[in-house]
Amino acid sequence: MRILLAGLPGSGKTTQAIKLAQELNVPLIRTGDILREMSTKEDGLGRRIKDIMDKGALVEDDLVAEIVEKKLAEMGKETGFIMDGYPRTVEQINRFDPEFDVVFYLQISEQEIRNRLFKRGRFDDTPEIVNHRLKAQEENMFDVLGYYKKNAQVHLINAERTIEEIHVEIYKFLQ
Ligand code: B4P
């Protein structure tokens, strides 16, 4: 099964994606991690990605779509996978659509997002960068969700509960 964990930054999508991939024993693709790894390279591309991520903006659609398409081609789509962080815009879907069977969308308030991210304290969790990330992603995620409502099975999840409660809901839905 091809599963997407979607939501705004801080909604818990990565947390749930890791747990689910372990439990189902299927490959996990995380664009955030791939891009952070690429951003450590001391070449032109690495520096460009670092610049974008430092500001809390989205990396170019073309580039991210190409990375994901390549990764899935290497893995073989037929085995099933869990995706975290892609697509984040409809433009990305137009460039490459992984054709998910199920999409879990984690719903959360802005206040709770801020609480969680400030507590986590990653380099891009400062108030200014979080504002940028939310601005860059809110409208886009709304459009992405609209697309999948027509093209996949979408399950909306109340993400303001414990990690375990959310995981159980997702897991049960897949049984
Ligand atoms: P990501 O790495 O995907 O990071 P994120 O959106 O901030 O959320 P993350 O998944 O890490 O956190 P989670 O909600 O699980 O992206 C980083 C950057 O990469 C983007 O800003 C962008 O620049 C770039 N990027 C990635 N994909 C891209 C794409 N497709 N196109 C363009 N650019 C792209 O958890 C957050 C915190 O909440 C954690 O500390 C966790 O412990 C906590 N938490 C989780 N669940 C909780 C719960 N139920 N209760 C309490 N706390 C919880």
Side-chain angles (χ1 to χ4, degrees):
M1 195 180 284
R2 295 155 298 188
I3 301 169
L4 170 64
L5 267 295
L8 289 172
S11 58
K13 59 189 162 11
T14 297
T15 309
Q16 294 299 329
I18 293 172
K19 244 176 125 53
L20 193 64
Q22 277 167 354
E23 189 126 14
L24 300 179
N25 196 22
V26 293
L28 169 62
I29 301 167
R30 301 169 57 188
T31 49
D33 268 10
I34 296 171
L35 294 170
R36 269 188 293 280
E37 163 76 26
M38 289 174 79
S39 77
T40 61
K41 304 260 154 62
E42 283 297 325
D43 54 18
L45 181 61
R47 277 192 289 271
R48 198 169 87 227
I49 293 174
K50 183 173 182 315
D51 255 18
I52 295 171
M53 292 180 83
D54 280 352
K55 290 188 197 118
L58 288 174
V59 175
E60 294 101 318
D61 291 328
D62 273 353
L63 176 63
V64 187
E66 194 188 317
I67 291 169
V68 171
E69 187 173 12
K70 248 196 213 155
K71 191 96 191 159
L72 286 182
E74 281 163 22
M75 267 172 37
K77 255 196 193 182
E78 53 290 338
T79 53
F81 56 86
I82 295 173
M83 182 78 70
D84 164 22
Y86 181 92
R88 272 179 153 106
T89 67
V90 171
E91 191 54 37
Q92 291 181 6
I93 300 175
N94 291 338
R95 308 224 170 203
F96 177 67
D97 182 0
E99 297 174 351
F100 299 104
D101 300 300
V102 186
V103 174
F104 292 100
Y105 188 80
L106 277 65
Q107 293 180 303
I108 182 172
S109 66
E110 271 202 24
Q111 188 52 51
E112 182 61 15
I113 287 175
R114 288 173 206 280
N115 292 344
R116 287 184 190 177
L117 295 183
F118 297 161
K119 199 160 127 199
R120 177 171 70 177
R122 200 170 69 190
F123 79 95
D124 55 352
D125 290 337
T126 64
E128 195 190 343
I129 303 178
V130 167
N131 283 342
H132 271 104
R133 282 157 68 199
L134 285 174
K135 229 164 126 191
Q137 295 186 36
E138 261 171 336
E139 210 178 302
N140 283 317
M141 276 319 297
F142 183 80
D143 294 342
V144 167
L145 188 61
Y147 173 88
Y148 283 121
K149 278 184 177 164
K150 292 189 204 127
N151 294 286
Q153 205 181 346
V154 172
H155 193 61
L156 302 177
I157 304 271
N158 170 7
E160 296 197 26
R161 291 177 295 158
T162 67
I163 291 170
E164 200 50 40
E165 281 169 338
I166 298 165
H167 173 67
V168 168
E169 182 175 341
I170 293 174
Y171 188 76
K172 275 193 183 152
F173 184 84
L174 294 170
Q175 298 314 298

